[in-house]
Each structure stands twice: as C-alpha cells, then as structure tokens.
C-alpha cells in the first residue's frame, strides 16, 4: 500500500538508494569459469535507503515510525515514482545546533524494492496540492526545549547529537529466497552533548542519571508550543553518562563532550 503523500510527506534534503546482491564467483575444480555464467546468487536482493531531512510542524506524519510502539514495524517509502516496500529502520540520528534547522537522518533496508523500472520523478507530488513548506514552521536548534530533570547539563550547550540503532534479524520462509520480515532484537540510543563547562568527572561505572533528560523539538513560529516528534529524545533515570572529555585552548573557554547512553530493548 503506498504511503499518503499529504499525511506522510517528509521534507527531505537528500536521498540515497543502494541495491545489493548476494553473489559469489562460480569456481569449480577442473573447469574454467563460463563467460556467460560467472556468478552464483545465494541471497535476496535488498536496497539500502538513506534519508536526510529537516523537521517542520504540520509535516510530522512521516515520522510515525520513530514512536516506540512502531519500532518493530516496517514502512513503505515512495521516492519519486518508485515505491519501496517492507522498509525497516536501522539507524536514526538527529543533529541540533543553535540557529540552524534541526536535521534528521534515517537509514532503512527494504526487503521488497522495485526492480526493472525506470527512475523518474513523481508526476503528481503531494497529491497535486501545493506543498505546505515554510521556514516559519521549521524546528531550529535554538527553539529546542530542554527538560533536564537529571540535572546533568550546564547552562550552555554548543551542540547536541542523538542517535538510535536498531538491531534486526531477517526471517525467511521455506522455499523463499527473500526474507519475509525482520525481528527486532535490540534498540540502543546515545546522546552526545558539547558544552562549555564540566561540574564533575565520571567514575568507573560512569554517572547514572537520577532523573529524566528530555528534548522537545518545537517550531520557530509564533504561538507554536507543542513538540513535532514527541518523546523522540528521552533519557529517563537509569541511563548513564559513559564517556566524557574536555579540553582547554589558549584564550578560550573549557570545551567538554559527554555521551549519555541507554538500552531500550
């Protein structure tokens, strides 16, 4: 089933697609390799999809796959005229810097990509309607709201990056070369914060959060107060600061880097 172009539209800045075959040379003892039959194919065809996008209020339906309730499910992705089915997210990252639009990157693997088709654009983008893209509704780094119940951050953060990695196992049916689905084995997240100070250094087991650290991505428009993707960056009590570093340059402030990690599944 194709995704809704209006309800699930994602304002992307770059998309990369890579098709991969599972092949090996056909080498046999006592015989040469036939010129018209050089490779054997032992596995399914898969397609890796990489998407870079920006986040805007009113265009959040395409990010539903990020919700915890949907992390084991697949999505369908339409790129131009091509529809990629059974797409499972493998990596997600978010980069936040002051006065710059928040960027989100996601990687998928498609178990059912289109084949034998020409590459062409969408002849009827956004269902034939005008795409409601406006800079006034974008999420910027300086509009991100930080709720630091863990009291782990200082007052000045120069940049924040978030990443999530899904571990999945393909499941094959008897008599089929293509994987039918993928099981979700694990989900791990980390938050890397660059700032200008450090209160204390971590010990042997890091530093456990005593409260919740959460970031809300809010649009820059006047009167906008609700987050675009709720609960995406949420590190509750029990997550740990596991790496920490700092440096000092002549005539400059102290620069620190801390990484908080959690295992969600």
């Amino acid at each position: 089933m194709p995704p809704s172009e209006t309800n699930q539209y994602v304002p992307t800045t770059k998309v990369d697609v890579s098709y991969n075959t599972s092949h090996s040379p056909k080498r046999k003892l006592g015989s040469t390799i036939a010129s018209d039959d050089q490779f054997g194919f032992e596995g399914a065809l898969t397609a890796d999809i990489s998407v870079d996008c920006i986040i805007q209020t009113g265009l959040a339906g395409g990010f539903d796959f990020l919700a915890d309730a949907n992390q084991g499910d697949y999505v369908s992705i339409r790129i131009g005229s091509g529809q990629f089915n059974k797409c499972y997210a493998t990596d997600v990252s978010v980069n936040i810097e002051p006065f710059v639009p928040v960027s989100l990157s996601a990687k998928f693997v498609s178990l059912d990509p289109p084949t034998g088709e020409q590459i062409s654009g969408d002849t009827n983008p956004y269902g034939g309607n005008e795409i409601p893209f406006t800079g006034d509704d974008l999420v910027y780094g300086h509009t991100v709201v930080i709720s630091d119940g863990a009291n782990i951050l200082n007052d000045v953060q120069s940049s924040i990056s978030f990443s999530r990695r899904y571990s999945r196992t393909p499941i094959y049916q008897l008599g089929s070369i293509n994987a039918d689905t993928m099981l979700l084995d694990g989900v791990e997240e980390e938050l890397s914060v660059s700032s200008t100070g450090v209160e204390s250094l971590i010990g042997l087991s890091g530093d456990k959060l005593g409260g919740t650290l959460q970031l809300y991505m809010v649009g820059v428009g006047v009167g906008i107060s609700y987050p675009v993707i709720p609960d995406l960056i949420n590190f509750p009590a029990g997550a740990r600061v596991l790496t920490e570093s700092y440096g000092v340059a002549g005539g400059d402030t102290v620069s620190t880097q801390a990484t908080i990690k959690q295992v969600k599944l």
Side-chain angles (χ1 to χ4, degrees), residues 20 28 45 48 51 57 81 98-99 109-110 120 135-136 139 151 155 177 196 202 206-209 214 228 252 255 259:
N20 307 292
K28 298 180 180 178
L45 173 71
D48 294 327
V51 179
T57 57
S81 61
F99 302 101
V109 57
S110 174
S120 63
D136 292 336
V139 177
N151 196 28
D155 294 333
I177 194 172
T196 58
I202 60 176
D207 190 2
K208 184 167 66 173
L209 270 61
Q214 192 164 9
V228 180
D252 202 356
S255 175
T259 301

Side-chain angles (χ1 to χ4, degrees), residues 156-171:
V156 181
Q157 293 84 44
S158 57
S159 67
I160 297 176
S161 60
F162 165 81
S163 65
R164 175 189 293 172
R165 180 168 180 80
Y166 303 88
S167 299
R168 303 184 187 272
T169 300
I171 301 300

Side-chain angles (χ1 to χ4, degrees), residues 49-62:
I49 304 172
S50 177
V51 179
D52 296 339
C53 59
I54 51 182
I55 303 172
Q56 175 183 322
T57 57
L59 293 176

Side-chain angles (χ1 to χ4, degrees), residues 108-174:
F108 301 84
V109 57
S110 174
L111 302 183
D112 186 17
T115 59
E117 300 179 7
Q118 290 185 344
I119 300 173
S120 63
D122 190 345
T123 58
N124 194 36
Y126 207 71
N129 302 309
E130 182 180 355
I131 300 175
F133 181 77
T134 169
D136 292 336
D137 292 336
L138 291 178
V139 177
Y140 284 81
H142 64 282
T143 64
V144 172
V145 178
I146 300 176
S147 175
D148 186 12
N151 196 28
I152 197 73
L153 302 180
N154 59 22
D155 294 333
V156 181
Q157 293 84 44
S158 57
S159 67
I160 297 176
S161 60
F162 165 81
S163 65
R164 175 189 293 172
R165 180 168 180 80
Y166 303 88
S167 299
R168 303 184 187 272
T169 300
I171 301 300
Y172 297 88
Q173 300 287 345
L174 291 176

